[in-house]
Amino acid sequence: MQHQTEAHVFIFPLPLQGPVNCMLKLAEILSLHRIKVTFLNTDYIHQRLIRHTDALIRFRSYPNFRFLTVPDGLPEENPRTGAEVGNLLESMDASAVPIFREMLLTAETPVTCLIADGIFTFATDVAAEIGAALLYFDTVSPCGFWTYLCLPKLIETGEVPFKDDNLDEMITNAPGMEGIIRRRDLPSFCRTNDINDRIIQLVLREGEHIPLAQGLIFNTFHHLEAPILAQLRTICPNIYALGPLHAHLKARLASQEARPTTSNSIWEEDGSCVSWLDQQPSKSVVYVSIGSLAVMTRDQMCEIWHGLVNSGVRFLWVRRPGSVTGYSDETGIPSPEELTQGTEERGCIVRWAPQEEVLAHPAVGGFLTHSGWNSTLESMVEGKPMICWPNFVDQQVNSRYVEAVWKVGLDMKDSCDRIVVEKMVREVMESRKDEFLKGAEVVAESARAAVNPGGSSFEDMDRLIEEIKTMKIATK
Ligand code: UDP
């Protein structure tokens, strides 16, 4: 039996910068279409959003939107870097999940649709309990996500764990990726001898729950990942490819003559780097960032630093507080003397940048990135070629696709050597600049077309909105 009720979407992202950013964009698009949205943040994320953005004020203009919060259970001083994600999920199980469940059971307006991060396997039971539709939204790349779903087969056929040290061996049991993916291009967690490893087990459990959802949402666009989306449809036929979501939101805000979108950063953005960019020639700067979770050793930092300075190319480098192991404050890291002059002449170093604005800046000609999915899409939309130094999860897959499939950059994976950095920076910014810029512009055009009226992501979003409006609570 079913009964009529107002549409109410409850969104629960994985409490990390990338997923929160991405799901807030989706939340804002749904709010623009007057759908009632509840967005659940952890206290840690929420406090930082309030401190560093205008998110509260921005969302106040949507009368049907509200934020709720839950504790993540980690001590305040936990760095919440990539290595802590397993601990974060474990502590949320105890501290956040019971409150989340209670929120749904007692919601004044019953929740008709739950949109939860794909890793939240507990969401299937809770959605069933309240009779709401469940849509899983995994904010990693679909190509990366597909390798997660292939993991049981890779284990069964003996491709994972790897039998020897040859990381260049091709992978044969990831359908649709034949001839593309080598062992080294599988997610970092596949480089283990122990399939009982906590992350492997989490990913396997995620794969079992994914088909239980009524639909899957992805931050991608049809043209970019059609073959992979076709593979994913064999697991869950109902897929919404809505990305790139940051550009999609901009397009919808522009068409509604609403105010411009602003940032969802959980660090304070240093806008001075934009003034610095204003002084640089067109496409002369390589932007360098490893996102919100990755860390590097001081040796790796020095290799990148030498490579950048030796390339002679201008650079804007984000050194997030806590991103160099052993240093809590990046300003305390001494600059090797031989690099001082080159850095002063051609470099700008900040703690956190307004990345979308930076990538859109005409002075930026390339991006040395950790290949996080949001960063990859943000770079693509602006037609900026990439040099990829992937760190973990889907990033190893993304960087491979950037070089071998989408042909919008170079994959530096598994190497952090000043000579390689210098060579790749020169290649992307100088010797093969035109070739990469041309390829990147083609991808950028198809990304922009996807999120405008008539485009595939625009149409998928309209379908999602219409379906959400008709979703009903299923009573037992
Ligand atoms: N970001 C930013 N300023 C910075 C570095 C990153 O605003 O200085 C944003 C970036 O625009 C992206 C997010 O942080 O939206 C990082 O997400 P991504 O998926 O690329 O990587 P993750 O941080 O999850 O590894």
Side-chain angles (χ1 to χ4, degrees), residues 17-19 21 265 269 287 289-293 318 352-353 355-356 370 372-375 378 395:
Q17 173 73 84
N21 186 16
S265 277
E269 291 176 348
Y287 169 59
S289 164
I290 60 164
S292 66
L293 298 168
V318 173
W352 193 252
Q355 182 166 301
E356 282 181 43
H370 72 305
W373 189 233
N374 290 290
S375 297
E378 288 160 12
Q395 295 155 18

Side-chain angles (χ1 to χ4, degrees), residues 16-19 21-22 25 139-140 246 263-267 269 287-294 318-320 350-356 358-359 367 369-378 391-395:
L16 305 171
Q17 173 73 84
N21 186 16
C22 187
K25 311 268 184 195
T139 60
V140 300
H246 70 290
S263 123
N264 298 318
S265 277
I266 61 167
W267 282 271
E269 291 176 348
Y287 169 59
V288 185
S289 164
I290 60 164
S292 66
L293 298 168
V318 173
R319 287 206 202 138
R320 190 190 82 238
V350 293
R351 292 154 65 95
W352 193 252
Q355 182 166 301
E356 282 181 43
V358 163
L359 285 168
F367 185 11
T369 172
H370 72 305
S371 297
W373 189 233
N374 290 290
S375 297
T376 304
L377 288 173
E378 288 160 12
N391 183 251
F392 79 146
V393 287
D394 62 325
Q395 295 155 18

Side-chain angles (χ1 to χ4, degrees), residues 137-152:
F137 183 0
D138 209 301
T139 60
V140 300
S141 62
C143 57
F145 188 64
W146 177 237
T147 64
Y148 297 10
L149 296 184
C150 291
L151 195 55

Side-chain angles (χ1 to χ4, degrees), residues 425-469:
V425 169
R426 284 182 191 274
E427 224 172 299
V428 166
M429 300 296 292
E430 290 169 2
S431 59
R432 296 175 65 193
K433 182 178 182 171
D434 291 346
E435 168 197 336
F436 280 123
L437 282 174
K438 221 185 208 174
E441 193 43 43
V442 172
V443 174
E445 270 166 29
S446 65
R448 292 191 287 256
V451 297
N452 275 291
S456 60
S457 298
F458 196 93
E459 287 185 352
D460 266 14
M461 184 70 83
D462 279 349
R463 178 168 64 89
L464 174 66
I465 290 166
E466 285 319 304
E467 287 175 11
I468 283 176
K469 284 181 180 165

